[in-house]
Amino acid sequence: MGFSLLDFRRKWSCRGYMSAGAAMVTAALGLSLVLPERAEARKYAAPLDIFGLGTPRPRPTVHSAKIPLPRPRPEEAPKASDEPAPDAEGKPAPDKSNASKPAEAALPPEKQASACRLALTEEIAVAPSVPDIRGPGACGGEDLVRLEAIVLPDKRRVAVKPAAILRCTMASAIADWVRKDMVPLAANLGSAISDLDNFDSFECRGRNRVAGALLSEHGKANALDVRAIKLANGQSIGFTDRTMSRDIRERVLHSVCARFSTVLGPGSDWYHEDHIHLDLAQRRNDYRICQWNVWDPLPQVAPLLPAERPEEAPPREVAARPEAKEGAEDQETARPTAPADKPAAEGAKVEPHKPATKKRR
């Protein structure tokens, strides 16, 4: 069998090996050019890479910095305490227990006491404070007290029966009136005051309890109705009692009209015939109302029958009835007349004619 170069090229061609080698050389040259460009491109983000899916940026070089450390604590220094130091102004540190409580559990701030509340001490009256009242409409009030008793200068107490719910200013005015005006009045009667009869104090209502009327001062806890004061000896001084001395009732009238802006009693209207109304209503130009008629005392024994007619009194002339006159005339006509010429018997006494009288039963 003959072998020649032409037959060798025909059977085993080298074009495939030559083309593959050329491709490998071309690829190697391309990689050598592309790799530096891609390394340079890693420093910058792709313009359309909005989700950051591209090649991450290289971290910048961290430069080590020297951080100074604190100096060691000297041995003679005092030990540090766990309690917080007070403020510069000297205020104490807040309590940790209170800080841990929630804000809802904190108590509301206490209401500041008024000047009247500070002045109405236990030496003047037993009048504990009560919460403010907010009733329907304008009923109620602020700075209220429950007046239970009035303390006299000699430490004795005048009980208010029942206890009255009043504003502090009204309770203070009642206490001053009893201490300065009623105590001397009771002393003149030889006794001391024991009770004050409270007829009405706070009540959410209109004037005189009339439907639709203006709000009464009782609805504002600014009024008190009193009927009497009782003494230690058992005597009662009724302000509208007509059996009491007029002088005593007039003294009470002058004292209350000088202290209160409104005084209503007998004669003002028929609503106040059995008690006295006192209040401190504020009016324009400090206008005051004092309507109380002190009636004269009633007689001790009422005259039921007229006095007996004295015996020496002259007889009363009473007109005769028409029937009696006619009967008398008939009797006179039927009676025979004595002869005129017949003289009267000697020694006979002639009585004058008396008119007919009616005896009293």
Side-chain angles (χ1 to χ4, degrees):
M1 172 178 76
F3 180 77
S4 63
L5 181 60
L6 295 175
D7 295 335
F8 175 78
R9 289 183 177 179
R10 190 180 299 139
K11 292 182 180 182
W12 294 282
S13 177
C14 296
R15 292 180 180 177
Y17 295 102
M18 295 298 292
S19 60
M24 294 177 63
V25 172
T26 304
L29 292 175
L31 289 175
S32 63
L33 296 176
V34 171
L35 289 177
E37 293 180 359
R38 296 201 55 171
E40 185 69 19
R42 289 176 185 174
K43 299 181 181 180
Y44 308 98
L48 299 179
D49 188 10
I50 60 176
F51 300 102
L53 300 178
T55 306
R57 298 180 183 178
R59 295 182 179 179
T61 305
V62 179
H63 300 281
S64 60
K66 296 182 178 181
I67 301 175
L69 298 176
R71 292 181 297 177
R73 183 179 182 84
E75 297 180 357
E76 61 275 7
K79 295 182 179 179
S81 60
D82 296 336
E83 298 180 359
D87 297 341
E89 298 179 359
K91 297 181 180 179
D95 190 4
K96 293 183 179 180
S97 60
N98 294 337
S100 62
K101 294 181 180 179
E104 298 178 357
L107 297 176
E110 295 183 359
K111 188 177 180 180
Q112 187 176 2
S114 63
C116 175
R117 176 69 272 184
L118 296 176
L120 193 63
T121 60
E122 296 180 354
E123 298 179 355
I124 298 176
V126 180
S129 299
V130 298
D132 299 342
I133 299 177
R134 304 294 182 186
C139 282
E142 300 178 352
D143 195 17
L144 304 180
V145 300
R146 184 175 64 252
L147 184 60
E148 300 176 356
I150 300 169
V151 182
L152 302 181
D154 57 359
K155 304 303 179 182
R156 287 183 296 181
R157 295 185 177 184
V158 177
V160 180
K161 297 183 178 180
I165 302 297
L166 300 170
R167 294 191 180 188
C168 180
T169 52
M170 184 64 187
S172 179
I174 293 293
D176 291 343
W177 170 58
V178 172
R179 287 164 55 92
K180 298 179 180 180
D181 295 343
M182 294 296 99
V183 169
L185 178 63
N188 294 339
L189 299 176
S191 184
I193 304 176
S194 61
D195 300 334
L196 176 65
D197 186 4
N198 169 27
F199 187 62
D200 190 16
S201 57
F202 170 73
E203 184 180 358
C204 186
R205 60 176 175 83
R207 293 180 181 176
N208 300 324
R209 294 185 175 87
V210 177
L214 296 177
L215 181 65
S216 172
E217 292 297 318
H218 287 280
K220 304 175 184 178
N222 197 33
L224 181 69
D225 290 346
V226 292
R227 287 185 295 190
I229 57 174
K230 296 182 180 179
L231 305 183
N233 58 5
Q235 185 181 2
S236 178
I237 301 177
F239 299 142
T240 60
D241 188 3
R242 295 181 63 176
T243 61
M244 293 297 302
S245 171
R246 182 185 180 92
D247 179 61
I248 295 177
R249 289 180 289 149
E250 285 183 347
R251 290 181 59 179
V252 177
L253 167 66
H254 296 322
S255 65
V256 294
C257 288
R259 291 183 176 275
F260 301 94
S261 59
T262 306
V263 177
L264 301 176
S268 60
D269 51 37
W270 67 276
Y271 296 101
H272 301 90
E273 293 298 321
D274 58 347
H275 66 275
I276 306 301
H277 170 90
L278 309 173
D279 68 45
L280 291 176
Q282 297 293 331
R283 300 184 183 88
R284 186 179 301 176
N285 299 328
D286 196 19
Y287 180 72
R288 293 171 172 262
I289 297 177
C290 183
Q291 298 178 357
W292 178 6
N293 295 334
V294 179
W295 306 119
D296 292 331
L298 295 174
Q300 295 182 357
V301 178
L304 300 179
L305 297 175
E308 293 290 338
R309 182 177 179 83
E311 295 180 357
E312 61 273 9
R316 295 192 183 104
E317 296 182 0
V318 180
R321 296 180 180 179
E323 297 83 1
K325 288 184 178 180
E326 293 177 359
E329 291 177 357
D330 296 342
Q331 291 179 3
E332 289 180 359
T333 55
R335 183 182 303 173
T337 57
D341 55 349
K342 186 176 180 180
E346 295 181 1
K349 190 179 292 185
V350 179
E351 295 182 357
H353 176 71
K354 293 183 179 180
T357 58
K358 186 177 180 180
K359 291 185 179 180
R360 178 175 175 271
R361 293 181 180 178

